[in-house]
Amino acid sequence: MNVGVFGRTVELDAGRVAVSEAELRAQVGEYVAGDRRTFDVSVALPDGFVGDVMAEMRAIPYGETRTYGELADALDTAPVAVGQACGKNPVPLVVPCHRVVGAESLGGYSAGDGPALKRRLIEHERNAGD
């Protein structure tokens, strides 16, 4: 399913979440409006390494970021492998891969229009309390 986020389209695999598409759209809308910091949905994580990386991403608090290297250290792997797994996240935004950044750059983003949306999501979360 596709959802609108800050004028961009983000594709979410609705089959990975345990809520209706209408409920998921409502929660995305609340997030964009600044009224929601977490998604109240159960996510079926893929088996294997991608699922392991997604579990680490889910633990990153709203408004904070972690580097690919920090996640790699936690998973005893390489930052490049973490980045590749982030790109396979079937539910970006719900599992916040936008909160994973490079040590010296923003890094990539597979949703919307890529890094521009990633930057907007990070700014949105950092400014939510203002």
Side-chain angles (χ1 to χ4, degrees):
M1 78 181 255
N2 292 324
V3 295
V5 179
F6 300 121
R8 284 105 169 173
T9 300
V10 174
E11 184 176 344
L12 302 174
D13 182 350
R16 290 267 176 199
V17 296
V19 295
S20 69
E21 286 190 20
E23 175 60 23
L24 186 55
R25 285 182 195 284
Q27 289 191 31
V28 169
E30 292 166 357
Y31 169 85
V32 170
D35 297 330
R36 174 175 291 278
R37 292 178 177 236
T38 60
F39 289 89
D40 186 23
V41 298
S42 177
V43 177
L45 300 178
D47 291 332
F49 184 68
V50 172
D52 295 343
V53 172
M54 289 176 66
E56 289 292 321
M57 289 188 291
R58 288 180 73 177
I60 303 170
Y62 181 93
E64 295 183 21
T65 59
R66 300 291 183 271
T67 66
Y68 296 103
E70 288 172 321
L71 266 63
D73 287 346
L75 294 166
D76 195 28
T77 191
V80 170
V82 169
Q84 291 171 340
C86 288
K88 295 177 183 174
N89 178 1
V91 285
L93 192 60
V94 176
V95 174
C97 51
H98 62 277
R99 297 180 190 156
V100 184
V101 298
E104 297 182 18
S105 70
L106 189 62
Y109 191 56
S110 63
D113 57 357
L117 178 56
K118 182 176 188 171
R119 182 181 325 280
R120 178 68 178 93
L121 292 168
I122 291 169
E123 290 171 358
H124 170 71
E125 292 185 8
R126 286 192 175 151
N127 295 325
D130 296 343

